[in-house]
Amino acid sequence: MGCHGILGVNGTSADPRRFGVATVRDGRIVSLVEKPEHPQSNLALVGIYYLTSASILFECLAEVERQGVRTRGEIQLTDALRGVMERGEELRPFEVSGWYDCGKTDTLLETNRVLLDAHAAAVSRAGVVVLPPVALDPSADVLHSVIGPHASIGPRARVRRAIVRNSIVNEGATVEDILLDGSVVGESAAVRFAPQRLQ
């Protein structure tokens, strides 16, 4: 059996039209389409790739860029992978279970909950009520707040007089005088003074 590339796929996606979609025949990928209106299968590409020749992939990416090929206005890796197939590389699917599409806020928060439930260590901090499971970076400046359950506070984040639950506060963000639930606060962003759900 010769060498072949492998692409991670998941067949349980509720809407494969949001992803690259693979069609498989006899254990081989026979077509790849990015965000198809009418998918030929439900096998969504999940972003795990093993290729026997990275140089061919980079050549195909350069070709896609040169030709101005765009899907919904963007250069897509799926189009380059299709070029890899056209150059003779055999690609096979690898089924990935337990896949979370973290391009959506709700799924990102669900992933955060799963990871915290499985891996969160005990956390305590003076002046903070911690309701496990949480992840609280040692460099985060948190005081007079309730953190958790299912909250992740990133490096150098500042949290004051806040309740943060089922949320992610990214690096350098500021959260003050607020109830934050089911939210993601971006790096270096600041939110204050009102109950909010941030996406």
Side-chain angles (χ1 to χ4, degrees), residues 136-185:
L136 182 56
D137 189 274
S139 68
D141 181 13
V142 182
L143 193 59
H144 306 303
S145 297
V146 177
I147 306 299
H150 297 110
S152 293
I153 312 296
R156 294 173 299 287
R158 176 183 166 86
V159 180
R160 290 283 190 276
R161 299 169 304 281
I163 298 171
V164 180
R165 62 186 181 219
N166 187 34
S167 294
I168 299 170
V169 178
N170 281 291
E171 182 173 356
T174 299
V175 174
E176 296 179 338
D177 301 301
I178 192 171
L179 164 59
L180 200 63
D181 187 17
S183 299
V184 178
V185 181

Side-chain angles (χ1 to χ4, degrees), residues 24-92:
V24 176
R25 200 172 298 126
D26 299 324
R28 296 174 56 202
I29 295 173
V30 294
S31 75
L32 294 167
V33 181
E34 183 65 26
K35 298 181 177 72
E37 283 297 316
H38 304 287
Q40 298 300 304
S41 84
N42 68 340
L43 294 176
L45 298 179
V46 301
I48 300 173
Y49 312 101
Y50 168 79
L51 299 173
T52 59
S53 174
S55 63
I56 292 175
L57 175 63
F58 289 122
E59 289 171 13
C60 291
L61 279 167
E63 185 65 22
V64 166
E65 186 174 16
R66 265 193 310 276
Q67 292 178 355
V69 176
R70 303 282 189 277
T71 300
R72 298 187 183 176
E74 299 177 339
I75 292 174
Q76 299 289 343
L77 184 59
T78 304
D79 294 322
L81 289 169
R82 193 169 45 252
V84 168
M85 291 171 52
E86 290 167 359
R87 291 183 182 209
E89 171 117 12
E90 181 180 321
L91 299 178
R92 295 186 186 176

Side-chain angles (χ1 to χ4, degrees), residues 116-125 130-138:
L116 288 172
D117 284 341
H119 302 292
V123 175
S124 64
R125 184 80 64 95
V130 176
L131 304 173
V134 303
L136 182 56
D137 189 274

